[in-house]
Amino acid sequence: MLMISPKMASGMQEKQYTPSLLSFFIYNPTFGPREGEEEKKILFYHPSDVEKNEKIRNVGLCEAIVQFTRTFCPTKPAKSLHTQKNRQFFFEPEENFWMVMVVRNPMIEKPNKDGKPPTVEYQEEEMLDTVYGAVVRQCYSMYKLFNGTFSRAMQAGGVELLMQKLEKFFYRYLQTLHLQSCDLLDVFGGISFFPLDKMTYLKIQSFVNRVEESLSLIKYTAFLYNDQLIWSGLEQDDMRILYKYLTTSLFPRHSEPELAGRDSPMRPEVAGNLLHYGRFLTGPTNLKDPEAKFRFPKIFVSAEDGYEELHLIVYKAMSAAACFMISASVELTREFCEQLDSLVGPQLTLLASDICEQFTINRRISGPEKEPQFKFIYFNHMNLAEKSTIHMRKTASVCLTSVHPDLMKILGDINCDFARVDEDEEIIVKAMTDYWVVGKKSDQRELYVILNQKNANLIEVNGTSPLFGIKQMYVILTKSTPSVPVISSSPYVDPCLFFSPFSFFFITLEEVKRLCATQFNNIFFLD
Amino acid sequence: MAEEHYLELSENPVQFEHASSVNNVFFDEANKQVFAVRSGGATGVVVKGPDDKSSVAFRMDDKGEVKCIKFSIGNKILAVQRTSKSVDFINFIPDYPHTEFSQECKTKNASILGFCWTNWNEVVFITDQGIEFYQVFPDKRSLKLLKSQSINVNWYQYCPETAVILLSTTVQGNILQPFAFRNGTMSKMSKFEIELPVVPKPAKLSLSERDIAMATIYGQLYVMYLKHHSRTANSPSAEVVLYHLSREGSCKKSHVLKLNTTGKFALNIVDNLVVVHHQSSQTSLIFDIKLKEPDCALNIHQPVLPARSIHPYRIPLSGPAAVPSQPPVPCQLYSSSWSVFQPDIIISASEGYLWYLQVKLPPTVNLLQDKGKLMDFLLRRRECKMVILSVCSQILEVGEKGSLPVVATVFDKLNQVYKDYLEAEQSYTQAMESGPSRGSAAQKRPVRTQAVIDQSDMYTHVLSSFTERKGVSHKFIIAVLMEYIRSLNQFQITVQHYLYELVIKTLVQHNLFYMLHQFLQYHVLSDSKPLVSSNQELILRRRVCGSVDAPHLPLSPSRARLPRRAGYVHRFSVSLLNCVLSGVFAAVSGEHVPTRTPAVPGHAEASVHGQRRDHRGSAVEAAGSGCAQIHPQRRWPRQRVCAEVPGRGAADRRPDAVLHGV
């Protein structure tokens, strides 16, 4: 789990350690209120090989801190505890159920001469509560997605069942936490939307509606392309966590073998001329296999009366993936899967190539991708749309960023500042010699830009660059011909939805007025 | 049993005195007039036309048996043929001498087969040896030969709409020679041959006048040949062969209509449909030559619908032969006394009736199962609008599995026609704007036929009632609406605001805010009026649930959960907001909020600030708690600048170190 920083390679004698998970536990203080029964409170403890008394001690400490701080502010219990060596995060997802994550602070190990033990310097300031607080909440959401709430398990089979479920789920899940690469995006927990023109979008709508109509068992459908969302029939919060699962776990697991050349997605057996590339990512890998099991993962989503349990069928053809959700009370049969395969496969293949074609046309129009002058993260609270040019493509194991962690830290700091007030704000930070970091919050949107301008001073940065002093976020989308800008102030125009056919930037109101006055004929207003 | 007779006789037939030994009846196809000539005209000639204006009664001297009698166009001159050598003329123009004058045919030893008026004063004689084209001078009571052509003629046919005369020549009669007439000129068109099923030996007249008809279908002139089956040739059943006769160029065999039976047939053209009556089975078939059979390269057509009889007809009480006390008598259909004329006329001379044949569209709906084909068929008919709309409603009503693709096909077909009309209209407007200088041929304004079903038609007659119907799943409603919007977009037709409103209303009613959100995000639902940037205060920030939360709004129990589900912020531009608001109000009050015209920014502002009434009639302040508010003065954001921030971790402590590794 330890990541060694590049400084190691550059020959310096320091060793840097990134944050790592020390322990993770879940307890309920009401399960063992009497002395001597403290162990009963503990529902899950990682690492499991910790001595029993230590477990009890740690849990007790957390309980005490929460109880103690409650006296100061009954409505907002403590969220985290900072110590020199580590940091603890508390989260009460359901009444009396507490999740606690203990993370060791990043540290630098400086070797001393004469064989003395190295000096360890903890960097307790480097970690952000918001980021890791979000990680804990995500842990719970993910558990809930696949298992339902804690109290559901309690009702179904008491503490024992709950403990089993927790053990089964978190044992694997905790291994996939990569605490060293958690950053601002974890705070947002956003969804990346695929940029698409209206007509293709409507075609997808039509496809979804037809499938849902002819296979009436399907309750909800979600549609993704290139790991980016296009349509969700689920509610936003459910989609947010399902999207997280799909893009960080399910899709990478399936794309890695593909990339490695194994398991070609092209089906060897082609019936008639219904050539299609569709296949199930969940459930049976091969429909023709007589031994195939038609079991699909089950997920829990919110419904009118609490939650509902659904089968999750993920079906993929080329880069297009459709998730079909069917009530868990229905037994899924081979016939149904075959029917779905023969209905969805050809259509989805066709649709995928349509989208791909559209996408490449747009790419070609927008010209060769230039090295952007700046890097940015964009997030819209309203539709959870996010876009980052800082992050590389996510894989199952790592999430790479192209900027230094310290810059990411500054972004996180700015985000914390924004969270404190409701008003629109702009923060400009001169980070290091040549870096400027600009954070901008306007209505529901946040934009963070990292700019590397040599020798720029504040006045220049604020005065000349189109990025600064934005009163309201105007999005200018420049089509292939630079003379035809499209100006929009609509909250629904997200740059992330237009990024591939357009390049975009933000401008000031004054600039908009000037453009309107001088070249009105060539401007489209989009809303 | 549902009504299945898709053909009917017109309700108000032209009545005339039925044919008898003393009363001869003639029909003129050009003016569509029936002549009842009593005793050679001495006791009266009664002319009945399609309307009262063209009806005349007069007397003329009995100078022998009348063979043929016709008015020139506009009832100016009457021509009567009594012998095979000459035609007599009588002026019917006021102030002109009324005495008859006569014209013999120029060719010696020729006998006149008949004559046709091609204008108010131009007449063509067809003799067995050729045709003669005359101009009549009623004032001088004389005729002048304009042109003549000698050719052996067996029989002739005349198509008054196009003024084309078709002559049957050669011994077998199967070489047809058309002539076209226009403004005093006669032009010979290229002749063509009808393929006979059997070539008789020795040669004799084998093509009967009865088996050939001329008519215009979809604006094109066709010669229809009723090809009877023959045992020797390889044709098990009769068929109708259509030859397309273009003014320039040759005549081409273009369509074959399969009758799949044998016997006696008669042809009519109604609403551009070829109707084939079959006497022995007393049924009729209809063919649409524009309806393509999918698997035929050559245009071979099967009947559009199964054979059905003409709708039973009862002779009304007021008929000339009826006594008032008698009940209406059922009329014998497909009677052997019927005569059929082009395009859509059926005459029963023995009963004294002239009917127009009509196509009834509603029964076709149940007879044609393939809805796509049905739409193609209906869209080409004259009186199709309400039937098409009812078909749309019907498809949506059934709502059975797999009907969505059908709905999509139907919408696409409707919108194709709609788009074609919009484009024609647009190019006309552009041509008008560019001025009459270019092309004085004055582009005609495109005619809006009934087949143009626009968005308001769909909204009024189909979609609004469909969305309000009970027991239809909201999924299906939204799917249908999206399908319609998709289809409009596909044809690049601007979607009208009220359709968006319908979608929004349905989504809001079912708490599907996230769907609504996504549609907005991808601009599937968008403002029809673009917002003008200078007035950006129009952007509103609000919570949809806010207005529902407002305590003064009545909440039905089923809606009480709305706020919880809609727990995220929506922002709308004003006109969309109006839409959403009316959706919410409708959902809350259970009332349908009438369609509002797309909001103009100025108006919208007023309506948001103004008062709304809830269903109890009390005024609700729209700008109340949680409701929409327009920011009168936007607060500019605070701007903070932190250069070289103190206490900002890494940047502060190790300003240089951070550069590494970037």
Side-chain angles (χ1 to χ4, degrees):
Chain A
M1 283 290 239
L2 292 182
M3 265 217 2
I4 294 163
S5 89
K7 273 176 221 142
M8 181 71 181
S10 64
M12 291 179 74
Q13 293 294 301
E14 289 179 357
K15 257 189 185 174
Q16 191 167 16
Y17 295 93
T18 52
S20 58
L21 183 69
L22 278 182
S23 57
F24 184 97
F25 46 90
I26 299 165
Y27 68 91
N28 187 329
T30 58
F31 289 175
R34 262 170 284 163
E35 217 162 309
E37 291 179 348
E38 287 90 347
E39 200 190 352
K40 289 184 182 169
K41 294 177 185 173
I42 306 168
L43 300 168
F44 172 79
Y45 202 101
H46 166 90
S48 53
D49 52 4
V50 173
E51 201 253 324
K52 180 179 132 191
N53 281 333
E54 197 188 331
K55 286 183 186 173
I56 293 170
R57 252 200 337 268
N58 286 337
V59 168
L61 177 65
C62 293
E63 210 185 323
I65 291 163
V66 171
Q67 278 304 332
F68 172 68
T69 54
R70 217 188 268 274
T71 54
F72 298 103
C73 182
T75 50
K76 282 186 188 167
K79 282 184 183 149
S80 66
L81 173 69
H82 297 207
T83 64
Q84 190 200 12
K85 289 184 179 174
N86 57 43
R87 198 176 285 192
Q88 305 195 6
F89 298 92
F90 314 114
F91 178 49
E92 186 185 20
E94 290 171 45
E95 201 181 354
N96 290 324
F97 285 97
W98 286 89
M99 292 173 85
V100 180
M101 180 169 80
V102 185
V103 182
R104 200 203 52 204
N105 290 336
M107 56 186 186
I108 295 171
E109 210 177 66
K110 288 179 181 163
N112 285 336
K113 288 170 195 167
D114 316 329
K116 279 186 206 162
T119 338
V120 176
E121 191 182 300
Y122 288 97
Q123 299 174 296
E124 61 258 45
E125 292 299 316
E126 292 297 286
M127 280 172 55
L128 284 169
D129 279 353
T130 49
V131 172
Y132 293 94
V135 170
V136 181
R137 283 195 300 278
Q138 215 171 64
C139 287
Y140 173 71
S141 301
M142 204 60 92
Y143 170 85
K144 200 173 75 171
L145 178 70
F146 289 103
N147 297 284
T149 57
F150 294 157
S151 46
R152 181 186 169 272
M154 289 291 294
Q155 281 162 14
V159 189
E160 273 168 40
L161 181 74
L162 176 62
M163 285 171 76
Q164 271 174 28
K165 279 185 177 271
L166 290 173
E167 182 68 39
K168 194 178 158 202
F169 178 80
F170 282 107
Y171 174 72
R172 274 176 58 190
Y173 184 73
L174 290 180
Q175 292 174 16
T176 66
L177 280 185
H178 301 284
L179 293 183
Q180 73 280 5
S181 54
C182 292
D183 58 32
L184 191 56
L185 285 193
D186 291 282
V187 178
F188 293 146
I191 294 170
S192 179
F193 285 94
F194 187 77
L196 204 60
D197 64 298
K198 182 156 64 167
M199 198 53 231
T200 319
Y201 184 79
L202 283 167
K203 271 191 205 163
I204 292 167
Q205 271 298 312
S206 183
F207 160 78
V208 169
N209 288 335
R210 284 174 195 205
V211 172
E212 286 191 4
E213 199 211 13
S214 43
L215 300 171
S216 51
L217 281 179
I218 296 172
K219 221 167 167 187
Y220 309 104
T221 308
F223 195 100
L224 294 94
Y225 188 87
N226 252 356
D227 294 3
Q228 288 170 300
L229 186 68
I230 293 176
W231 167 252
S232 161
L234 281 182
E235 283 299 312
Q236 197 177 39
D237 283 341
D238 294 322
M239 194 59 228
R240 181 185 221 171
I241 194 70
L242 180 62
Y243 178 79
K244 177 89 185 165
Y245 164 71
L246 293 173
T247 53
T248 59
S249 174
L250 185 71
F251 291 159
R253 241 188 295 146
H254 283 83
S255 69
E256 273 162 15
E258 272 173 36
L259 292 174
R262 282 172 274 150
D263 181 30
S264 164
M266 176 64 180
R267 346 185 96 201
E269 78 287 339
V270 176
N273 23 351
L274 281 176
L275 172 77
H276 72 82
Y277 295 85
R279 68 210 171 94
F280 288 93
L281 289 196
T282 59
T285 44
N286 185 0
L287 281 178
K288 294 281 185 297
D289 183 5
E291 301 286 298
K293 292 243 168 58
F294 296 92
R295 271 208 301 260
F296 293 91
K298 285 181 187 167
I299 59 166
F300 291 78
V301 301
S302 58
E304 293 280 323
D305 44 356
Y307 58 84
E308 60 183 325
E309 196 176 352
L310 303 165
H311 293 289
L312 174 67
I313 301 177
V314 183
Y315 191 89
K316 198 170 179 183
M318 306 205 274
S319 294
C323 307
F324 301 110
M325 282 148 273
I326 295 170
S327 175
S329 56
V330 180
E331 182 100 12
L332 294 179
T333 58
R334 175 187 291 272
E335 287 71 38
F336 178 80
C337 292
E338 282 170 355
Q339 202 187 347
L340 188 134
D341 185 56
S342 63
L343 178 80
V344 176
Q347 286 192 55
L348 193 62
T349 308
L350 204 65
L351 211 47
S353 60
D354 267 10
I355 301 170
C356 179
E357 199 179 323
Q358 197 63 40
F359 187 61
T360 42
I361 288 171
N362 290 340
R363 263 247 174 96
R364 211 177 308 129
I365 291 170
S366 62
E369 267 178 45
K370 277 180 245 156
E371 183 65 27
Q373 300 162 311
F374 52 85
K375 286 174 173 158
F376 71 91
I377 293 181
Y378 169 89
F379 180 69
N380 186 340
H381 284 275
M382 191 172 52
N383 55 5
L384 303 183
E386 76 177 16
K387 169 90 190 172
S388 166
T389 60
I390 290 171
H391 294 77
M392 305 292 157
R393 199 183 164 82
K394 279 180 184 171
T395 62
S397 46
V398 264
C399 174
L400 293 168
T401 57
S402 59
V403 299
H404 194 273
D406 290 333
L407 284 171
M408 290 308 294
K409 165 82 174 23
I410 293 175
L411 297 187
D413 280 335
I414 298 175
N415 171 257
C416 289
D417 278 0
F418 284 162
R420 264 179 228 130
V421 277
D422 282 336
E423 287 159 59
D424 292 354
E425 270 196 301
E426 183 170 306
I427 297 174
I428 301 175
V429 181
K430 173 99 194 303
M432 292 137 255
T433 38
D434 280 337
Y435 281 95
W436 288 90
V437 177
V438 184
K440 169 82 198 162
K441 181 185 172 195
S442 173
D443 283 335
Q444 296 295 310
R445 297 185 281 189
E446 291 179 28
L447 175 72
Y448 302 86
V449 180
I450 298 173
L451 199 75
N452 187 1
Q453 277 185 324
K454 278 221 165 84
N455 307 320
N457 62 40
L458 186 61
I459 298 158
E460 278 173 358
V461 168
N462 205 356
T464 58
S465 167
L467 276 164
F468 305 104
I470 313 162
K471 296 291 187 279
Q472 177 147 19
M473 280 219 202
Y474 279 92
V475 185
I476 283 216
L477 310 150
T478 324
K479 279 188 180 170
S480 53
T481 43
S483 61
V484 189
V486 178
I487 300 184
S488 174
S489 58
S490 161
Y492 296 101
V493 178
D494 274 324
C496 57
L497 287 173
F498 286 91
F499 196 58
S500 83
F502 304 97
S503 54
F504 79 95
F505 49 92
F506 300 92
I507 59 164
T508 62
L509 178 62
E510 286 68 35
E511 191 69 5
V512 171
K513 281 180 177 164
R514 196 186 61 75
L515 281 170
C516 291
T518 55
Q519 10 178 331
F520 189 83
N521 288 339
N522 291 328
I523 299 175
F524 294 112
F525 289 93
L526 213 98
D527 265 291
Chain B
M1 191 185 84
E3 175 66 87
E4 286 204 331
H5 306 283
Y6 48 78
L7 288 168
E8 65 181 356
L9 301 174
S10 55
E11 246 174 61
N12 301 309
V14 176
Q15 292 176 21
F16 54 88
E17 193 182 338
H18 62 89
S20 65
S21 55
V22 289
N23 185 39
N24 288 330
V25 176
F26 300 91
F27 179 67
D28 171 20
E29 287 179 86
N31 291 325
K32 307 207 179 342
Q33 287 169 323
V34 183
F35 290 77
V37 182
R38 284 185 68 93
S39 342
T43 46
V45 177
V46 180
V47 185
K48 294 253 184 161
D51 51 64
D52 290 338
K53 264 189 212 162
S54 49
S55 301
V56 200
F58 58 89
R59 261 172 224 276
M60 60 184 190
D61 298 334
D62 185 0
K63 294 180 181 172
E65 195 198 347
V66 173
K67 285 185 165 178
C68 185
I69 182 166
K70 283 172 186 174
F71 268 118
S72 78
I73 291 158
N75 292 0
K76 297 277 197 302
I77 304 165
L78 180 73
V80 187
Q81 189 196 351
R82 294 187 176 103
T83 69
S84 62
K85 290 289 171 200
S86 66
V87 178
D88 304 326
F89 297 90
I90 305 164
N91 282 335
F92 267 70
I93 307 165
D95 308 332
Y96 276 64
H98 283 257
T99 29
E100 285 188 21
F101 53 102
S102 183
Q103 175 70 43
E104 278 191 19
C105 66
K106 291 274 192 248
T107 322
K108 291 214 170 106
N109 303 326
S111 59
I112 300 174
L113 301 173
F115 63 90
C116 313
W117 287 101
T118 59
N119 204 340
W120 77 270
N121 63 347
E122 286 163 15
V123 72
V124 184
F125 289 5
I126 299 103
T127 70
D128 55 356
Q129 290 174 32
I131 57 172
E132 296 166 7
F133 185 33
Y134 292 98
Q135 188 175 3
V136 185
F137 297 99
D139 46 344
K140 294 176 192 159
R141 301 176 55 236
S142 66
L143 280 82
K144 180 186 152 198
L145 182 69
L146 294 175
K147 209 168 182 186
S148 67
Q149 171 102 31
S150 56
I151 183 170
N152 279 324
V153 181
N154 301 312
W155 45 261
Y156 75 97
Q157 292 253 325
Y158 179 54
C159 175
E161 290 167 67
T162 49
V164 170
I165 290 175
L166 195 65
L167 305 176
S168 157
T169 66
T170 71
V171 182
Q172 291 173 14
N174 66 331
I175 306 289
L176 300 182
Q177 173 65 61
F179 286 93
F181 298 85
R182 187 187 282 172
N183 301 329
T185 61
M186 174 176 100
S187 49
K188 192 176 177 181
M189 297 163 75
S190 48
K191 62 183 175 188
F192 61 98
E193 184 182 350
I194 299 275
E195 295 165 36
L196 295 171
V198 209
V199 181
K201 278 193 181 142
K204 55 166 185 170
L205 185 62
S206 324
L207 185 65
S208 157
E209 181 182 358
R210 279 199 318 243
D211 294 338
I212 293 290
M214 276 198 293
T216 46
I217 307 170
Y218 294 118
Q220 299 293 319
L221 181 62
Y222 288 92
V223 173
M224 300 183 285
Y225 165 47
L226 190 56
K227 189 177 181 182
H228 294 283
H229 95 111
S230 73
R231 266 178 221 135
T232 47
N234 221 356
S235 55
S237 63
E239 56 192 33
V240 175
V241 185
L242 265 58
Y243 294 82
H244 179 220
L245 199 57
S246 58
R247 223 162 242 286
E248 303 87 24
S250 58
C251 183
K252 268 189 226 138
K253 181 176 170 177
S254 60
H255 299 272
V256 176
L257 316 180
K258 291 282 184 193
L259 303 182
N260 306 323
T261 178
T262 60
K264 275 178 105 180
F265 299 97
L267 297 173
N268 269 139
I269 303 295
V270 184
D271 204 358
N272 292 317
L273 294 168
V274 181
V275 181
V276 183
H277 306 288
H278 185 227
Q279 199 180 22
S280 54
S281 69
Q282 303 227 334
T283 56
S284 304
L285 292 167
I286 57 175
F287 294 87
D288 184 350
I289 57 168
K290 279 205 179 170
L291 216 56
K292 294 256 176 347
E293 296 290 327
D295 48 348
C296 292
L298 190 78
N299 283 317
I300 294 173
H301 299 266
Q302 292 292 338
V304 180
L305 300 169
R308 289 287 182 274
S309 133
I310 297 173
H311 193 278
Y313 187 82
R314 284 170 185 278
I315 292 170
L317 282 167
S318 56
V323 178
S325 61
Q326 280 181 326
V329 197
C331 173
Q332 198 205 338
L333 302 173
Y334 301 93
S335 140
S336 55
S337 70
W338 276 15
S339 313
V340 173
F341 295 93
Q342 298 315 320
D344 54 353
I345 289 160
I346 294 172
I347 291 176
S348 170
S350 62
E351 283 162 316
Y353 283 98
L354 179 151
W355 294 282
Y356 293 97
L357 188 65
Q358 293 169 338
V359 171
K360 279 199 296 179
L361 294 178
T364 63
V365 172
N366 298 322
L367 290 172
L368 196 53
Q369 287 314 309
D370 180 344
K371 298 294 176 205
K373 203 172 159 191
L374 176 67
M375 270 302 149
D376 285 335
F377 172 77
L378 290 176
L379 281 168
R380 294 197 198 97
R381 305 286 76 85
R382 249 192 328 257
E383 306 274 313
C384 60
K385 182 175 238 163
M386 293 323 287
V387 182
I388 289 175
L389 290 169
S390 78
V391 171
C392 292
S393 294
Q394 192 192 337
I395 303 171
L396 299 183
E397 200 171 326
V398 178
E400 59 197 13
K401 244 188 189 183
S403 66
L404 216 45
V406 178
V407 171
T409 320
V410 168
F411 285 163
D412 284 350
K413 286 185 190 296
L414 295 182
N415 289 330
Q416 175 71 61
V417 177
Y418 181 25
K419 172 68 180 171
D420 290 346
Y421 169 72
L422 290 178
E423 268 180 357
E425 180 80 6
Q426 199 185 4
S427 66
Y428 170 77
T429 322
Q430 278 171 1
M432 287 299 106
E433 277 169 3
S434 68
S437 56
R438 277 191 302 128
S440 56
Q443 210 180 343
K444 266 192 208 159
R445 191 185 181 85
V447 183
R448 185 181 168 141
T449 63
Q450 285 214 358
V452 178
I453 309 277
D454 64 14
Q455 296 173 57
S456 87
D457 293 329
M458 276 308 273
Y459 178 85
T460 320
H461 297 281
V462 182
L463 296 175
S464 63
S465 57
F466 163 64
T467 52
E468 274 160 23
R469 197 182 305 138
K470 297 239 155 49
V472 186
S473 80
H474 63 265
K475 252 188 185 179
F476 188 63
I477 292 177
I478 292 161
V480 167
L481 293 174
M482 292 318 288
E483 205 59 65
Y484 189 55
I485 291 173
R486 178 204 55 77
S487 180
L488 290 170
N489 270 294
Q490 193 164 309
F491 291 100
Q492 294 160 332
I493 302 168
T494 316
V495 180
Q496 292 297 318
H497 214 247
Y498 40 78
L499 290 176
Y500 291 146
E501 199 176 291
L502 214 52
V503 176
I504 292 171
K505 199 185 88 182
T506 312
L507 290 169
V508 168
Q509 268 177 349
H510 294 93
N511 297 343
L512 300 168
F513 286 96
Y514 191 41
M515 283 194 188
L516 172 60
H517 209 126
Q518 293 180 70
F519 290 147
L520 291 166
Q521 189 177 312
Y522 279 96
H523 293 271
V524 169
L525 306 174
S526 52
D527 277 342
S528 46
K529 296 251 173 190
L531 292 188
V532 181
S533 75
S534 62
N535 200 357
Q536 27 123 353
E537 269 74 44
L538 288 174
I539 300 287
L540 300 173
R541 186 198 303 168
R542 67 184 303 275
R543 281 173 188 274
V544 162
C545 54
S547 66
V548 180
D549 259 344
H552 44 256
L553 282 173
L555 274 180
S556 67
S558 63
R559 306 292 169 211
R561 224 172 262 117
L562 193 60
R564 188 182 65 78
R565 300 270 292 190
Y568 31 77
V569 179
H570 290 274
R571 300 193 320 165
F572 300 96
S573 60
V574 172
S575 44
L576 259 184
L577 171 69
N578 262 334
C579 239
V580 173
L581 271 181
S582 51
V584 171
F585 274 80
V588 168
S589 62
E591 280 172 12
H592 175 62
V593 177
T595 314
R596 214 167 284 122
T597 46
V600 184
H603 292 154
E605 196 172 359
S607 76
V608 172
H609 270 307
Q611 294 192 325
R612 290 177 180 280
R613 293 192 173 270
D614 68 8
H615 81 300
R616 293 171 304 186
S618 61
V620 177
E621 191 72 50
S625 62
C627 271
Q629 257 183 311
I630 295 172
H631 310 300
Q633 276 182 323
R634 201 185 171 75
R635 268 180 300 172
W636 300 122
R638 276 184 310 136
Q639 192 176 53
R640 274 202 296 158
V641 175
C642 326
E644 317 272 2
V645 219
R648 249 170 212 279
D652 184 41
R653 237 175 300 142
R654 297 178 290 110
D656 300 320
V658 193
L659 261 181
H660 298 276
V662 175

